Amino acid sequence: MLELKIKPTETGIITQTFKKINDMVRSGTIDSDTPVHITLMPGTYPGTISWNLSNPLIMETPEGTDPSQCVIIAENCEAFHKDTENRSVFVIGMGAAEVTLRGFTIENTHVKTNDDAALGNQAEALCFHNQTGYLLCQNMRFISRQDTIHVKGFSFFDNCYVTGDVDFIWGYCDTSVWKNCHIHTREDNRGGVRDAYVLQSRALNSKPGFVFADCTFTADKRPEGSHIYIGRSQGTGKVDSVDRWDSIALIDCTLDENYDSALWTDENGTRAVWPVKGCKENGWREYGTKRIDAEGNRSNDDTGGRNQHGYIMTNKEAEELKAAAMV
């Protein structure tokens, strides 16, 4: 294993380190499957970064470090660099294999100044642009506004915090599992009556998609007339499409009072939903959803107002899905 320690001594130090590793692989100093362990010392690391090597990567802070004390930070967005894989603060490319991120923050500081169509406000903090590798994130913080996290392939988020305002968790994934995570919908900096959406799933055909277990969803209160949904459809999924399936599962999750009782939205029927009705395997589905009020009182959520495309799993179905996803 290649062991490296990075201190925030100068701008671009992480990129310089990644380049050094790439040069070592190309020269044969280390093999392309040699594991790389990078210890990030607390501090601020300005600039965007990209990892695209097949070497298994573990990138973490020293044990006991609060994730807020170590921050990779930059402004990037669609208006600056076109396409998802170019507008992120940290992009993991198609050449990567196994990547573990542990104990730090990735923040995209882009602030919306106009309507999305005019400026291109999509601004990922993390982009896992990889259908064949595996991403593990533990005790991480991800901060942006629109499209905070984009994932493909297989990923696991454990005890992480993520915040954003529109579709801030999304992607063309096979399976993305979220366990004991805190998901927070922040206020839109432009103000006014605006709807918010946590997820937009474009999952692969017939795959589980996004699975949340024992997670907490909170939100900043928005002006009257605004709605906050867990998921909305992209609108182009079909039975034979390769991806763009609306597959999101909530298992034993807790929502605060700011989330709309419908939970899911097809935007008043203007966006097609596929599968039309969720089931255990895919689509919009849930089990054991709790609601917490402003005083902290927790109770079983009333599912009577759910969107028609959603599905309430049985206990057996939820346990089977949870067990399969956690493997």
Side-chain angles (χ1 to χ4, degrees):
M1 177 178 288
L2 177 63
E3 295 274 2
L4 298 168
K5 181 183 290 187
I6 299 178
K7 298 180 180 179
T9 54
E10 57 183 288
T11 300
I13 188 65
I14 298 178
T15 295
Q16 293 173 32
T17 302
F18 285 178
K19 182 180 184 303
K20 175 183 176 181
I21 298 167
N22 182 64
D23 291 344
M24 293 174 73
V25 172
R26 294 185 64 181
S27 68
T29 305
I30 62 172
D31 295 328
S32 59
D33 60 355
T34 298
V36 175
H37 181 213
I38 296 176
T39 301
L40 280 180
M41 300 307 293
T44 301
Y45 296 84
T48 61
I49 59 176
S50 176
W51 175 266
N52 197 33
L53 295 175
S54 58
N55 302 70
L57 172 67
I58 298 175
M59 192 168 173
E60 62 181 345
T61 53
E63 187 175 353
T65 302
D66 189 298
S68 65
Q69 296 175 343
C70 183
V71 184
I72 299 172
I73 188 168
E75 182 182 9
N76 200 4
C77 67
E78 178 71 12
F80 297 171
H81 300 101
K82 300 298 181 184
D83 299 326
T84 309
E85 65 272 23
N86 300 317
R87 65 191 187 214
S88 179
V89 172
F90 190 174
V91 60
I92 300 168
M94 293 183 287
E98 298 177 13
V99 176
T100 298
L101 307 178
R102 189 179 291 125
F104 59 95
T105 297
I106 305 174
E107 180 174 0
N108 193 327
T109 61
H110 180 67
V111 175
K112 299 179 179 183
T113 58
N114 209 325
D115 289 339
D116 297 346
L119 186 60
N121 282 310
Q122 300 96 323
E124 281 79 3
L126 176 69
C127 173
F128 185 61
H129 191 61
N130 187 307
Q131 285 289 15
T132 59
Y134 181 76
L135 171 68
L136 172 63
C137 296
Q138 295 179 308
N139 197 28
M140 292 287 295
R141 296 169 74 242
F142 304 95
I143 301 171
S144 186
R145 293 189 179 276
Q146 185 165 332
D147 297 1
T148 305
I149 289 181
H150 173 262
V151 289
K152 293 184 176 181
F154 300 87
S155 57
F156 193 105
F157 293 80
D158 180 22
N159 192 36
C160 293
Y161 172 85
V162 57
T163 187
D165 56 16
V166 173
D167 302 337
F168 60 95
I169 301 173
W170 75 289
Y172 304 82
C173 67
D174 181 306
T175 308
S176 181
V177 179
W178 297 68
K179 179 184 177 183
N180 296 327
C181 292
H182 181 185
I183 294 91
H184 182 74
T185 303
R186 66 194 303 189
E187 184 179 4
D188 192 304
N189 67 269
R190 296 168 296 180
V193 176
R194 298 177 185 272
D195 289 347
Y197 320 90
V198 176
L199 288 128
Q200 188 179 109
S201 171
R202 302 185 184 184
L204 301 186
N205 188 310
S206 302
K207 300 302 182 180
F210 294 88
V211 179
F212 294 80
D214 304 298
C215 293
T216 300
F217 293 77
T218 59
D220 293 336
K221 190 171 184 61
R222 293 200 165 202
E224 186 175 352
S226 302
H227 299 272
I228 305 176
Y229 299 99
I230 294 295
R232 70 164 170 171
S233 176
Q234 194 272 337
T236 59
K238 299 178 182 178
V239 64
D240 58 350
S241 58
V242 174
D243 48 36
R244 299 173 189 266
W245 278 38
D246 297 294
S247 292
I248 304 168
L250 304 183
I251 304 174
D252 296 324
C253 291
T254 301
L255 318 178
D256 79 9
E257 60 183 356
N258 294 301
Y259 286 88
D260 197 276
S261 61
L263 221 63
W264 324 102
T265 179
D266 56 7
E267 300 194 351
N268 296 319
T270 62
R271 295 187 175 209
V273 176
W274 190 265
V276 173
K277 186 74 173 179
C279 61
K280 171 193 155 187
E281 288 77 18
N282 39 60
W284 290 337
R285 66 260 200 227
E286 65 176 299
Y287 173 80
T289 305
K290 301 288 193 300
R291 188 74 69 156
I292 187 168
D293 64 22
E295 285 71 45
N297 301 309
R298 190 185 305 261
S299 61
N300 293 329
D301 196 26
D302 181 0
T303 60
R306 293 293 192 256
N307 181 283
Q308 61 180 340
H309 300 289
Y311 173 70
I312 309 299
M313 292 183 286
T314 65
N315 177 267
K316 183 173 184 292
E317 289 174 330
E319 289 301 318
E320 289 176 350
L321 175 59
K322 190 174 181 178
M326 296 300 169
V327 173

